[in-house]
Amino acid sequence: MSEKMILNKAFFGKSNCIKVMLNVQKECYIHWGWKNANEKYEWIKCKFSDTEIADIVSVLEGKKDSVAFYHTFNENSRQIWINRKQEAVFFKIKEMTKSLSEGEQKVLSLLLSHVVVQMSLAQ
């Protein structure tokens, strides 16, 4: 059975993707995906806290130039960078970088702001 989602939004590029998901347990995940040699998507997911999401929103809104996170789950460590360079914002992990257009940045900023509120509401 698949997990029930409150939010599930994907931002696809030619060969990569960023997905933002919020489940009914109010856990927020960002998935980085890229096409492998067989044209199948490989995915890495990381769970984010409300304060980390707020830091990402600050970059999307141009209030910060960058944020970086270090996540460890099941003995897998991952460094994450989110950077602004002029009009573009880049979501980067070791395996891939995904840039977002200005429109995508606005949509993601609005959605992530909503996620922070949802995570804070009582169930």
Side-chain angles (χ1 to χ4, degrees):
M1 182 191 319
S2 65
E3 188 174 16
K4 188 167 179 165
M5 293 291 150
I6 296 171
L7 171 71
N8 185 357
K9 174 64 176 165
F11 298 89
F12 283 95
K14 184 176 180 179
S15 61
N16 59 20
C17 181
I18 292 285
K19 288 196 292 188
V20 177
M21 305 172 96
L22 179 67
N23 63 27
V24 293
Q25 288 79 34
K26 300 187 179 177
E27 299 169 325
C28 181
Y29 293 89
I30 297 179
H31 297 216
W32 280 258
W34 63 94
K35 288 184 182 179
N36 62 22
N38 297 326
E39 294 292 309
K40 303 274 186 193
Y41 270 91
E42 293 184 37
W43 295 96
I44 292 175
K45 75 177 185 176
C46 295
K47 183 178 175 182
F48 286 82
S49 70
D50 57 352
T51 55
E52 290 172 323
I53 295 165
D55 280 336
I56 294 169
V57 171
S58 292
V59 174
L60 291 167
E61 293 177 347
K63 295 176 183 173
K64 287 185 176 182
D65 289 332
S66 65
V67 292
F69 308 102
Y70 188 78
H71 285 214
T72 301
F73 181 72
N74 289 340
E75 299 181 22
N76 291 323
S77 296
R78 174 98 31 233
Q79 184 140 16
I80 301 156
W81 301 271
I82 300 160
N83 301 305
R84 169 172 290 288
K85 190 169 185 178
Q86 297 174 341
E87 293 85 32
V89 170
F90 300 90
F91 281 67
K92 181 180 180 185
I93 57 173
K94 180 181 176 184
E95 294 81 358
M96 67 153 284
T97 300
K98 170 71 175 118
S99 64
L100 297 178
S101 69
E102 288 184 54
E104 290 170 324
Q105 291 171 48
K106 182 65 174 179
V107 169
L108 184 55
S109 177
L110 291 168
L111 290 173
L112 290 178
S113 294
H114 177 73
V115 165
V116 170
V117 171
Q118 286 292 314
M119 291 174 82
S120 301
L121 295 175
Q123 291 193 27

